[in-house]
Amino acid sequence: MTDHIITPKIENRPVAFTQAEIGWTPWLEPLAEDDLTEAHLTGLVEASRAKSPYFRLLVRDPQVLEARTKTDKDIFYNTRTGLPRAERELAATAASRSNGCIFCASVHSRFASHHSKRGDDVQKLLDEGVDADLGERWNAIVAASVALTATPPTFGDDHIERLSAAGLDELEIADVIHGAAFFNWANRLMLSLGEPTPAVQ
């Protein structure tokens, strides 16, 4: 492990929001896969995450990463009640589009498109930004997500009233808040640790 800053040489650096599967590279050296201990593997939660330089960087503190990952999974995958997966991913996409995380926007926009079957609307959000007209239900979710992402946050009672008027119940509104707030934080972490790379051909 080194604390020296890595300056990657990246050709055709991604500069536009996309649903394509792009990559990411860190500015600090992640742990090597061969150096991961049982504690690290427990912190990764899924063994496949050992392939990711991002998670091998965060696993320097395995207990924190484990808590972070289980929170992430519960917010996005636990859809027994509350918001459908597509709209949780929409909230994360809107947060990522708002704070400029091209990599995270690519990941969550793909999931939003896959689960909603509204790929053109998701692309419209990426292309036109958070003011794109996606229909009132999605507009309300995007507006709330952007308000939670702002510094300082501008989220308030009016956003809750708009979500309710668009047909979301209390659990669904809570899921919008959880999805956007988690990715507001996760985007800023990722933006401070590295940068996106082009899709592997």
Side-chain angles (χ1 to χ4, degrees):
M1 182 176 77
T2 176
D3 290 329
H4 296 297
I5 297 173
I6 300 169
T7 305
K9 294 179 180 177
I10 302 172
E11 294 185 5
N12 301 317
R13 186 184 313 267
V15 294
F17 289 93
T18 175
Q19 296 186 53
E21 190 170 346
I22 60 176
W24 182 88
T25 190
W27 293 327
L28 294 172
E29 192 69 37
L31 296 180
E33 281 189 68
D34 289 344
D35 292 338
L36 298 178
T37 66
E38 283 301 314
H40 292 132
L41 294 173
T42 300
L44 287 168
V45 178
E46 293 176 355
S48 62
R49 293 190 173 205
K51 299 294 182 189
S52 163
Y54 176 65
F55 289 113
R56 292 202 317 275
L57 194 58
L58 297 188
V59 84
R60 291 179 180 194
D61 192 332
Q63 290 180 321
V64 170
L65 178 60
E66 182 180 4
R68 171 252 180 247
T69 300
K70 289 181 176 177
T71 301
D72 178 358
K73 287 182 168 296
D74 195 53
I75 289 172
F76 288 95
Y77 301 160
N78 183 0
T79 56
R80 286 172 295 180
T81 59
L83 209 60
R85 173 81 185 274
E87 292 176 334
R88 299 178 194 217
E89 299 292 350
L90 176 68
T93 302
S96 303
R97 180 64 177 83
S98 179
N99 64 26
C101 189
I102 292 175
F103 177 82
C104 293
S106 74
V107 172
H108 293 284
S109 64
R110 285 197 305 279
F111 283 128
S113 287
H114 172 76
H115 290 286
S116 70
K117 311 302 181 194
R118 293 177 57 180
D120 289 346
D121 284 332
V122 174
Q123 190 60 44
K124 189 174 181 181
L125 169 62
L126 297 180
D127 291 343
E128 298 180 14
V130 296
D131 292 326
D133 183 5
L134 309 174
E136 179 51 21
R137 183 178 171 101
W138 276 28
N139 289 346
I141 292 171
V142 169
S145 301
V146 170
L148 284 161
T149 304
T151 303
T154 58
F155 183 84
D157 291 346
D158 53 335
H159 294 98
I160 294 175
E161 291 168 4
R162 184 175 178 184
L163 288 165
S164 180
L168 281 72
D169 64 25
E170 290 183 358
L171 286 177
E172 291 174 325
I173 292 171
D175 284 332
V176 171
I177 294 170
H178 295 154
F182 185 89
F183 259 87
N184 174 30
W185 168 80
N187 293 158
R188 293 175 197 278
L189 178 63
M190 197 158 211
L191 286 166
S192 69
L193 293 176
E195 59 191 302
T197 57
V200 176
Q201 300 297 320

